[in-house]
Amino acid sequence: MSAPDLSRLSLNTATTKRWTLEEAVEGAVAAGIPALGLWRDRVAEAGLERAARIVREAGLRVSSLCRGGFLTAADDDGRRAALADNRAAIDEAAALGTRELVLVVGGLPAATGPNGPPSAGGDRDLVAARARVADRIAELSEHAAASDVRLVLEPLHPIFAADRAVLSTLRQCLDLAAPFAPETVGVVVDTYHVWWDPDLREQVARAGAEGRLASYQVCDWNLPIAADPLLSRGFPGDGFVDFATITGWVADAGYTGDVEVEIFNQEIWDAPGDSTLATVAARYAELVEPHLHR
Amino acid sequence: MSAPDLSRLSLNTATTKRWTLEEAVEGAVAAGIPALGLWRDRVAEAGLERAARIVREAGLRVSSLCRGGFLTAADDDGRRAALADNRAAIDEAAALGTRELVLVVGGLPAATGPNGPPSAGGDRDLVAARARVADRIAELSEHAAASDVRLVLEPLHPIFAADRAVLSTLRQCLDLAAPFAPETVGVVVDTYHVWWDPDLREQVARAGAEGRLASYQVCDWNLPIAADPLLSRGFPGDGFVDFATITGWVADAGYTGDVEVEIFNQEIWDAPGDSTLATVAARYAELVEPHLHR
């Protein structure tokens, strides 16, 4: 049996949450994984310049930086803080050598910030929150373009529409991206978030045709839903996503980039990282990689 | 202060799960609620003819019968059983004096039937499951038309796409309904399931223009999600749904029918039914009814 082709596999560092950046780099190299999707918290721990050097010296690509966003605040202070944080994230992406900055745009002001507990009451105007996201993407686009970094809009599963992201479908993200150059505003297809969408095939093709398909992230939709739905993601093959079909659509759309495995799952986080990487590589090789070639 | 206008309010019997049909009828009459949305289990307990008589003699309208569906089985036995059950549901709707039979179409064969536990493995072909739903709606349409009953397609929140309904958006349901007469195949707007949809305004308008808007059901999207997401529905006002906006869209679409309050929530089920109805009426009068007139 020939060795599995891992040449387009990228380990998103959220999958090995307990590893430092150094450990993730060593683990990826040992597992034959040639790229990393970096989260900003791991980068900040290591220090930006040092993080960039560690990854570069290990010969790894950076497939994306996760994440900017949280752009929905209705007040001026919230708006200014979000814009400043996203400009910093753009700079970090450039320093790390990736063009793709993934944005989770934030939920309703009535709900929560990135880490706060949900609570009802307050502003439930979803239409207005979405309009604010569009305005702030426009405000960030110039700095992104000047930095050669792309703002990558992530549609999140509608289960998160209240508290994490008012962008819920790929069509919506592409409509929002339309006024901007494809090198400046793109989209990511994360199977967990979009696998259910009856419009997915058409919108993946559209993303490819428009040159906006910036990232492909894979993990499964597990049931029952975890108590914290954010952590309900599984290894490909453990849930209900049809990876052959969706990966084929992504390939048909002309995507030739890295494929990130990004899993939030307490049980997986509690397991040894090397064992997690072995499963990631095996599932990718079995369920995803064969469908990347059309 | 004038009495609240409850003339278009309908109590869906799922909201008062512990009540028999007789208790629901008495409770609605006492609360000044002029209509019921009936579930088949409550009707079966009472007996079909008796149920129809009890409701009629109390002077209540039947706004809908919930529910048919579960049409996604991949095998012949499953297909035949589903068609037989749905023909029976059509006959029950006709006997109860409602034109609207709500359909929850079922999930992936890999996942679960209406009551079984979810499990991975098996058939994850979502595209094929959706095609089977379309085929079986066609098979049922003749009996529905002959019975003067409408098959009302319900888009369920994408959180249920694996295990309960492969129809996830109003657009998808309207596309599926398009080949049939609007009197034979319609759609329901349930705020819990569709509140997040960026395409909602346009598709509600389309449903109205096509004459397919068969039912409007209201309840809230509560956070955190309940351990069983089916039970995460709340009284209007307890969660994150913008009832003013969505109700206005439904009114703009020309909907003049009853508004069902349909809540699955263990805490509400455990409370006394009369107290639940008082809250239902108050929240409806405050948050929904004022927006029904455009």
Side-chain angles (χ1 to χ4, degrees):
Chain A
M1 201 176 118
S2 60
D5 179 359
L6 305 182
S7 60
R8 291 174 63 188
L9 176 58
S10 177
L11 171 67
N12 185 292
T13 60
T15 305
T16 50
K17 188 184 174 70
R18 303 207 299 187
W19 272 355
T20 63
L21 182 67
E22 288 87 343
E23 289 169 327
V25 166
E26 286 168 21
V29 169
I33 297 174
L36 291 178
L38 297 177
W39 275 63
R40 292 175 73 197
D41 55 351
R42 287 293 93 86
V43 171
E45 281 169 13
L48 178 60
E49 287 182 28
R50 195 165 142 263
R53 193 181 66 242
I54 292 170
V55 174
R56 192 174 58 240
E57 290 180 355
L60 299 175
R61 294 187 296 274
V62 179
S63 49
S64 76
L65 179 65
C66 299
R67 63 187 188 210
F70 296 99
L71 296 168
T72 55
D75 62 302
D76 276 349
D77 283 354
R79 170 180 161 276
R80 270 191 295 268
L83 292 174
D85 183 60
N86 279 278
R87 290 194 181 104
I90 290 167
D91 296 340
E92 290 165 34
L96 290 161
T98 179
R99 294 201 72 254
E100 315 296 356
L101 174 64
V102 175
L103 302 189
V104 172
V105 299
L108 290 171
T112 179
N115 300 305
S119 67
D123 180 357
R124 295 178 177 84
D125 189 339
L126 188 56
V127 174
R130 286 166 169 167
R132 287 194 297 277
V133 170
D135 290 345
R136 288 163 198 178
I137 295 295
E139 292 188 85
L140 291 168
S141 62
E142 193 174 336
H143 186 59
S147 308
D148 200 22
V149 167
R150 176 150 60 181
L151 305 171
V152 180
L153 304 177
E154 178 156 22
L156 255 60
H157 193 286
I159 193 176
F160 303 115
D163 55 343
R164 298 195 82 80
V166 296
L167 297 186
S168 305
T169 66
L170 196 57
R171 175 198 290 266
Q172 179 190 18
C173 291
L174 287 167
D175 288 350
L176 201 159
F180 307 97
E183 300 77 25
T184 306
V185 183
V187 296
V188 47
V189 171
D190 178 321
T191 54
Y192 180 81
H193 293 305
V194 301
W195 71 275
W196 57 271
D197 187 351
D199 200 23
L200 186 60
R201 180 183 196 154
E202 184 179 335
Q203 298 303 320
V204 168
R206 175 186 167 195
E210 294 182 358
R212 297 189 195 273
L213 194 42
S215 174
Y216 179 44
Q217 298 180 328
V218 295
C219 76
D220 217 328
W221 173 262
N222 281 6
L223 287 181
I225 297 287
D228 178 351
L230 272 182
L231 308 189
S232 204
R233 300 165 69 112
F235 288 122
D238 283 355
F240 297 95
V241 172
D242 181 347
F243 288 99
T245 296
I246 297 177
T247 302
W249 292 342
V250 169
D252 287 342
Y255 183 72
T256 56
D258 291 317
V259 180
E260 288 188 17
V261 175
E262 184 191 40
I263 307 176
F264 312 150
N265 179 309
Q266 194 61 52
E267 197 177 323
I268 293 173
W269 286 343
D270 290 342
D274 290 332
S275 142
T276 297
L277 260 55
T279 305
V280 162
R283 298 293 179 85
Y284 169 82
E286 178 192 349
L287 297 169
V288 178
E289 200 281 334
H291 307 285
L292 282 171
H293 316 280
R294 300 293 273 240
Chain B
M1 201 177 118
S2 60
D5 179 0
L6 305 182
S7 59
R8 290 174 63 187
L9 176 57
S10 177
L11 171 67
N12 185 292
T13 61
T15 305
T16 49
K17 187 184 173 71
R18 303 207 298 189
W19 272 355
T20 63
L21 182 66
E22 288 88 342
E23 289 170 326
V25 166
E26 286 168 21
V29 169
I33 297 174
L36 291 178
L38 298 177
W39 274 63
R40 291 175 73 197
D41 56 352
R42 287 292 95 84
V43 171
E45 281 169 13
L48 179 60
E49 287 182 29
R50 195 164 143 263
R53 193 181 66 242
I54 292 170
V55 175
R56 192 173 57 239
E57 290 179 355
L60 299 176
R61 295 188 295 275
V62 179
S63 50
S64 76
L65 179 66
C66 298
R67 64 192 184 200
F70 296 98
L71 297 168
T72 54
D75 61 303
D76 277 348
D77 284 353
R79 171 181 161 275
R80 270 191 296 268
L83 292 174
D85 183 60
N86 279 278
R87 290 193 181 104
I90 291 168
D91 296 340
E92 291 164 33
L96 290 162
T98 180
R99 294 201 70 254
E100 315 296 355
L101 174 64
V102 175
L103 302 189
V104 171
V105 299
L108 290 172
T112 179
N115 301 305
S119 66
D123 181 358
R124 294 178 178 84
D125 189 339
L126 188 56
V127 174
R130 287 167 168 167
R132 288 195 297 276
V133 170
D135 291 344
R136 287 162 200 179
I137 295 296
E139 292 188 85
L140 291 168
S141 62
E142 193 173 337
H143 186 58
S147 308
D148 201 22
V149 166
R150 175 150 61 180
L151 305 171
V152 180
L153 304 177
E154 178 156 23
L156 256 59
H157 193 286
I159 193 176
F160 303 115
D163 55 343
R164 300 196 81 81
V166 295
L167 298 185
S168 305
T169 65
L170 197 56
R171 176 198 290 266
Q172 179 191 17
C173 291
L174 287 167
D175 288 350
L176 200 159
F180 306 98
E183 300 78 25
T184 305
V185 182
V187 296
V188 47
V189 171
D190 179 321
T191 53
Y192 180 82
H193 292 305
V194 301
W195 72 275
W196 57 271
D197 187 351
D199 200 22
L200 187 60
R201 181 183 195 154
E202 184 179 335
Q203 298 303 319
V204 168
R206 175 185 168 196
E210 294 182 359
R212 298 189 195 274
L213 193 42
S215 175
Y216 179 44
Q217 299 180 327
V218 294
C219 77
D220 218 328
W221 173 261
N222 282 6
L223 288 180
I225 296 288
D228 178 351
L230 272 182
L231 309 188
S232 204
R233 301 164 69 111
F235 288 122
D238 283 354
F240 297 94
V241 171
D242 182 347
F243 287 100
T245 297
I246 297 177
T247 302
W249 292 343
V250 168
D252 286 343
Y255 183 72
T256 57
D258 291 317
V259 180
E260 289 188 15
V261 175
E262 185 191 39
I263 307 175
F264 312 150
N265 179 308
Q266 193 62 52
E267 197 178 321
I268 293 173
W269 287 343
D270 290 342
D274 291 332
S275 143
T276 297
L277 260 56
T279 305
V280 162
R283 298 293 180 85
Y284 168 82
E286 179 193 348
L287 298 170
V288 179
E289 200 281 333
H291 307 285
L292 282 171
H293 315 280
R294 300 294 270 240

